[in-house]
Amino acid sequence: IDLATVGEGLGADAVAYELIKQGYKNFMVNVAGASRSIGTNAQGKKWRLGIEDPTSKSPKVFESICALDKAVTTAGSYRNYFKDDKTGEIYSHAIDPRTGYPVSHKTLSVTVISNSAFESDALDTGLLVLGAQKALDWGEKNNYAVATIEYVDGKPLFRYTTKFDP
């Protein structure tokens, strides 16, 4: 059984629910990238998270965000991939279930903010498979905070839905 797609979200939610049950009002939980935050940090400010730069060889923040007491997860195809040495073609680890083949678009990551890390985790990979524009369209239609990073004209492009803006 592989729970990698939603296991992190389930874990983050479980820890967050336990902390809430124990009366904690300010915390941030991160389980392998699935985050839940409530309240403020030690400086009294809302928690800030970084969306990783998918074009950097070392961990670096591409965009800093504030989740506003929500859950945040990101699915990306920039770490796990295969490069064919003969053709130079890059193949994502994300498989499109409609074709059975790796996705072939230039979407590098999709970030989802929702009320639970399980929900965000369940959505982000499917939206990654759809690609940036369809992910953003879905987010607008369904009133979700979705952000994408895609490769356009040799540069990363960050776009997001209206709900992501706050």
Side-chain angles (χ1 to χ4, degrees), residues 9-158:
L10 283 169
D13 284 339
V15 172
Y17 293 141
E18 185 60 32
L19 290 171
I20 291 167
K21 191 168 92 176
Q22 291 184 23
Y24 289 92
K25 306 240 184 282
N26 300 295
F27 63 84
M28 180 168 51
V29 173
N30 185 302
V31 177
S35 298
R36 284 282 310 269
S37 60
I38 301 228
T40 59
N41 63 21
Q43 290 77 38
K45 297 180 179 179
K46 287 289 188 184
W47 295 100
R48 296 193 63 78
L49 300 164
I51 297 175
E52 190 171 341
D53 183 345
T55 63
S56 177
K57 294 194 187 295
S58 60
K60 179 178 156 189
V61 173
F62 187 87
E63 191 70 35
S64 179
I65 63 169
C66 181
L68 301 173
D69 297 337
K70 303 275 185 184
V72 180
T73 64
T74 298
S77 60
Y78 52 93
R79 276 212 186 115
N80 296 320
Y81 60 87
F82 168 75
K83 184 174 182 180
D84 186 323
D85 292 332
K86 292 180 183 176
T87 66
E89 187 75 27
I90 293 176
Y91 298 95
S92 171
H93 78 289
I95 304 299
D96 186 333
R98 297 167 295 190
T99 66
Y101 290 99
V103 296
S104 58
H105 51 65
K106 301 294 182 191
T107 302
L108 300 172
S109 73
V110 174
T111 298
V112 177
I113 299 175
S114 74
N115 290 324
S116 83
F118 172 73
E119 179 181 43
S120 294
D121 229 2
L123 291 170
D124 64 10
T125 303
L127 293 173
L128 174 68
V129 168
L130 288 177
Q133 189 57 57
K134 288 182 180 177
L136 293 168
D137 291 345
W138 184 91
E140 287 293 356
K141 179 181 176 191
N142 293 285
N143 204 30
Y144 274 84
V146 176
T148 63
I149 301 174
E150 60 192 309
Y151 224 45
V152 176
D153 298 326
K155 296 181 287 193
L157 175 65
F158 182 69

